[in-house]
Amino acid sequence: MDLTFYFRYSIISYTVEFEPFATGLELEGSGYVVASLGTDSGYVPYTAYSAKKSYISTHPEVIQKFTNAIQKGMDYVNSHSAEEIAKVIQPQFKETPLENITIIVERYKAQDTWKEDTIFEKDSFELLENILEEAGELPGRVPYEELVTTEFAKKAKTGK
């Protein structure tokens, strides 16, 4: 008896995409978001701000006001609905429909993407160093205490 087997072959590709492109692919049926690098890796300090020690010491009020503003944004995203956030940020994404932005924000909220504060924790710093080291981009480690200042973030968190 001659048996013929038919297999349906699919090409499976994986790529890293940023929003709103990733959700756009998903909504048009061209792909799926299968994982979040942020969820799978821990709190990587994707956005960090730096200033020279001399600037920090001569302009602490500027640093504090800037940090307070970032904290205010974090407080907002952690206390408002995905729909409310989407409406506020939509002008920054003119090409993206409000419904798509809402889906993205809902995903970020479900993933616990936004921290509660701006404090750059030592474990996040070390995770960033690990990533940079594994990529061959870090010639040497720097002690957390020599590079990171958390006093402004702590004041912004407490409002004092």
Side-chain angles (χ1 to χ4, degrees):
M1 177 178 213
D2 183 22
L3 297 176
T4 306
F5 294 95
Y6 294 96
F7 294 97
R8 182 173 175 218
Y9 291 95
S10 297
I11 297 174
I12 300 174
S13 298
Y14 294 91
T15 181
V16 176
E17 300 297 339
F18 288 99
E19 295 291 3
F21 189 71
T23 295
L25 287 173
E26 195 169 57
L27 292 173
E28 71 182 25
S30 298
Y32 300 96
V33 175
V34 296
S36 164
L37 294 177
T39 300
D40 292 341
S41 64
Y43 279 116
V44 177
Y46 186 81
T47 303
Y49 303 94
S50 60
K52 290 183 174 184
K53 284 182 181 181
S54 59
Y55 187 86
I56 293 170
S57 66
T58 57
H59 299 92
E61 70 288 346
V62 173
I63 301 295
Q64 191 62 64
K65 286 179 182 179
F66 181 79
T67 308
N68 291 350
I70 299 298
Q71 182 64 53
K72 186 175 178 181
M74 294 181 85
D75 292 342
Y76 185 87
V77 298
N78 284 304
S79 64
H80 287 76
S81 71
E83 296 81 14
E84 291 170 315
I85 297 165
K87 286 177 185 172
V88 169
I89 66 173
Q90 186 180 28
Q92 301 302 313
F93 302 95
K94 290 180 173 65
E95 307 284 321
T96 307
L98 180 62
E99 301 79 33
N100 294 21
I101 297 170
T102 303
I103 290 168
I104 294 165
V105 174
E106 285 173 349
R107 181 176 293 150
Y108 281 17
K109 285 180 128 339
Q111 294 171 173
D112 193 28
T113 297
W114 295 298
K115 287 181 63 193
E116 294 289 324
D117 57 55
T118 63
I119 299 169
F120 191 176
E121 303 288 349
K122 186 173 184 174
D123 58 339
S124 292
F125 177 80
E126 290 172 349
L127 176 58
L128 180 60
E129 283 189 313
N130 292 343
I131 293 167
L132 293 170
E133 193 171 68
E134 288 174 22
E137 298 296 327
L138 186 65
R141 290 186 174 250
V142 177
Y144 169 83
E145 297 76 17
E146 287 183 24
L147 197 60
V148 177
T149 301
T150 60
E151 67 181 277
F152 299 99
K154 288 177 181 174
K155 285 181 187 174
K157 181 180 178 180
T158 63
K160 297 178 182 178

